Amino acid sequence: MPTLAVVGAGAKAIAVAAKAAELRAMGVRAPDVVAVEKAGVAANWQAGGGWTDGAHQLGTSPEKDVGFPYRSSVVPRRNAELDERMTRHSWQSFLIATGQFAEWVDRGKPAPTHRRWSQYLRWVADGVGMTVVQGEVERIGIAERSGALGAAERNGALGAAEHSWALGTAETTVYADAVMITGPGQAERSVLPGNPRVMSIAQFWHRALAHERIAAERVAVIGGGETAASMLNELFRHRVSTITVISPSVTLFTRGESFFENTLFSDPTGWTGLTHTERRDALARTDRGVFSARVQDALLADDRIRHLRGRVAHAVARDDRIRLTLSTTQGGECSETVHGFDLVIDGSGADAMWFVPLFTQDALDLLELGLGGPLTAESLQDSIGHDLAVSDVYPKLFLPGLSGLTQGPGFPNLSCLGLLSDRVLGADLSHDLTRRFDEHQSVR
Ligand SMILES: Cc1cc2nc3c(=O)[nH]c(=O)nc-3n(C[C@H](O)[C@H](O)[C@H](O)COP(=O)(O)OP(=O)(O)OC[C@H]3O[C@@H](n4cnc5c(N)ncnc54)[C@H](O)[C@@H]3O)c2cc1C
């Protein structure tokens, strides 16, 4: 069986491992899923993972669980059976198994805390016996495959196919026929590391967990979206006079959450039929740097919060203040303004490209060969195919975090984990060189 290694034992790894386990239980071939995890299963949803204190609430409905939307299409004629099996790993099954279902219903189905969500994810991972290798992936390289060369390999027609991925941690190397990258990025990132008036996301949550009260006049939070939303929710309880949210968007938009907008996330049918501009519009409206209606109601009505448009170009510490230079583009003209704050919380650690520095030169060469040009955020995004992998790159590299633009806005987040697992497990991971060689010849 081919091996699919996943960087991070979070929601996506668990969704894929659960479906692979059910497929195997049905007697259907499925790859061995191995998650390489630096902290613990579902660590990013717990206190200590750097992204939350665990006490804040999940933004999306918990019924958008590892099997959602329960419309598998990976085993012809047996998809209903697969969906029925996946319901055993649903949010509601977790509540039933742990004696919490009736109370959750009676309380009006409240959004669970991040901690409760992590307990659910761990329950699924334990239930399917997910393989987890403990260790931080520090480099992603490629390794020569051992054994005799096939005809296509000898021909050199498909150069990359004789390789596998090699994920290096401090202790071990995991070899795999395909890799999927998950997770939001580096919670430790900060514009001015080491300055006590600037906090990374992880430092912020560390202080909140230690019940250290933050007291400051003017606070800036860099970045929008769910990461900033959770931090604003927490900051509210501290002694701060003004909170300025800095993001490149024109204003702080409320996420569109009507049936039609939600449907885009649960069911991306038709997404590929939209133009690039239409897709970017839809993403801006529903996804990037927007706050949910619940957050807008709870937080943004408070007159301590305001919004400043711009990208932080640089930051300096001067006269007991942090001066942020913001650049904005208006009518094609770029301008810079400087603003002073007593405390800056850098929430920009969430970065869909966070993994790129892990690639070795060999791996970068392989990717650029497949991309047909330099590796950039745009070229990677544009190259993501139906299976959520980079097109024309073998061995396969799945990048669901970058698949929103080409495949649908639900794939980078929790909105359609059941569809994500279908797409990934439906991909051809085998090194079936003869078949690929035939396909290659027929294309020529
Ligand atoms: C505070 C917060 C709230 C959010 N709320 C929502 C929400 O309500 N709904 C929604 O759809 N999305 C939400 N998101 C977005 C969220 O990041 C994704 O939806 C979801 O976590 C994606 O799952 P994942 O498997 O990609 O990553 P995660 O579940 O975050 O798992 C990533 C894992 O990778 C591990 N890891 C990271 N780097 C390495 C490495 N180098 N080596 C080994 N392991 C590594 C981490 O320890 C972690 O366990 C939220 C994000 C944040 C930060």
Side-chain angles (χ1 to χ4, degrees):
M1 271 297 111
T3 302
L4 166 64
V6 185
V7 180
K12 294 191 183 87
I14 295 167
V16 173
K19 193 165 274 181
E22 289 304 342
L23 283 169
R24 275 195 296 275
M26 289 165 65
V28 178
R29 282 164 60 95
D32 289 328
V33 179
V34 177
V36 188
E37 169 57 51
K38 68 174 177 181
V41 173
N44 279 0
W45 300 96
Q46 299 158 42
W51 293 94
T52 175
D53 62 353
H56 292 281
Q57 285 178 311
L58 192 68
T60 42
S61 158
E63 283 134 313
K64 292 200 164 191
D65 54 26
V66 298
F68 187 82
Y70 296 94
R71 268 202 310 263
S72 293
S73 58
V74 77
V75 264
R77 289 182 300 282
R78 295 183 70 189
N79 286 309
E81 181 188 346
L82 179 57
D83 283 336
E84 191 278 320
R85 283 175 168 274
M86 285 302 293
T87 61
R88 299 171 197 177
H89 310 293
S90 68
W91 165 252
Q92 298 196 358
S93 294
F94 161 71
L95 293 181
I96 293 166
T98 52
Q100 305 173 77
F101 184 62
E103 184 176 338
W104 181 68
V105 172
D106 287 345
R107 286 185 186 278
K109 302 185 181 179
T113 61
H114 291 156
R115 188 184 309 113
R116 183 63 54 83
W117 184 246
S118 79
Q119 289 163 354
Y120 159 64
L121 291 175
R122 283 209 305 256
W123 174 81
V124 178
D126 287 347
V128 300
M130 184 167 86
T131 308
V132 182
V133 173
Q134 196 64 41
E136 175 165 1
V137 175
E138 292 171 349
R139 58 198 178 277
I140 304 176
I142 45 173
E144 294 284 325
R145 287 192 153 263
S146 55
L149 293 182
E153 287 168 293
R154 272 198 303 273
N155 258 314
L158 298 161
E162 70 269 30
H163 298 116
S164 60
W165 291 108
L167 308 188
T169 72
E171 262 93 48
T172 186
T173 302
V174 174
Y175 295 95
D177 302 285
V179 164
M180 177 165 82
I181 312 275
T182 71
Q186 310 295 355
E188 297 80 16
R189 199 163 84 178
S190 137
V191 277
L192 270 183
N195 188 299
R197 290 182 178 274
V198 181
M199 282 188 232
S200 65
I201 301 167
Q203 285 169 326
F204 173 78
W205 286 117
H206 185 76
R207 277 187 67 170
L209 268 169
H211 300 293
E212 278 180 43
R213 206 163 173 77
I214 295 170
E217 284 289 313
R218 297 192 65 198
V219 179
V221 174
I222 305 173
E226 289 295 341
T227 314
S230 292
M231 293 196 296
L232 287 175
N233 211 333
E234 172 64 32
L235 253 185
F236 232 47
R237 304 176 197 169
H238 296 255
R239 286 226 331 261
V240 295
S241 302
T242 62
I243 305 169
T244 305
V245 181
I246 299 172
S247 74
S249 55
V250 177
T251 186
L252 290 176
F253 291 107
T254 310
R255 177 185 297 144
E257 290 175 0
S258 74
F259 165 74
F260 299 104
E261 284 134 341
N262 287 341
T263 306
L264 276 181
F265 283 77
S266 310
D267 180 6
T269 320
W271 182 256
T272 46
L274 304 176
T275 64
H276 247 57
T277 315
E278 286 167 336
R279 287 186 224 165
R280 282 191 198 281
D281 277 357
L283 284 177
R285 176 94 179 80
T286 54
D287 194 30
R288 301 265 158 79
V290 291
F291 289 101
S292 64
R294 186 164 54 81
V295 168
Q296 291 271 16
D297 284 350
L299 303 178
L300 302 182
D302 189 295
D303 61 7
R304 285 183 294 173
I305 297 186
R306 63 191 204 99
H307 175 249
L308 204 53
R309 184 183 178 199
R311 282 182 197 280
V312 177
H314 47 260
V316 286
R318 195 174 299 153
D319 308 331
D320 285 344
R321 283 204 144 186
I322 301 298
R323 287 168 188 268
L324 297 180
T325 306
L326 303 191
S327 69
T328 28
T329 319
Q330 221 154 17
E333 300 263 313
C334 190
S335 63
E336 289 199 337
T337 48
V338 180
H339 306 262
F341 297 97
D342 304 312
L343 178 69
V344 172
I345 300 164
D346 187 352
S348 63
D351 172 11
M353 293 285 284
W354 70 268
F355 55 88
V356 172
L358 304 185
F359 285 119
T360 60
Q361 192 55 52
D362 284 1
L364 285 174
D365 291 346
L366 181 82
L367 282 169
E368 295 198 334
L369 206 67
L371 292 171
L375 186 155
T376 61
E378 282 70 34
S379 66
L380 267 185
Q381 274 195 77
D382 288 342
S383 73
I384 306 291
H386 180 82
D387 58 7
L388 312 183
V390 184
S391 303
D392 298 325
V393 168
Y394 297 98
K396 287 244 173 227
L397 174 66
F398 296 97
L399 298 178
L402 285 167
S403 62
L405 186 65
T406 57
Q407 300 306 321
F411 290 111
N413 42 70
L414 305 175
S415 299
C416 57
L417 291 169
L419 276 183
L420 176 140
S421 58
D422 266 25
R423 298 272 186 110
V424 172
L425 294 171
D428 179 13
L429 306 190
S430 68
H431 289 268
D432 188 349
L433 296 174
T434 328
R435 218 190 71 211
R436 289 225 185 98
F437 184 63
D438 290 347
E439 282 168 5
H440 187 77
Q441 296 290 68
S442 65
V443 171
R444 289 204 297 185

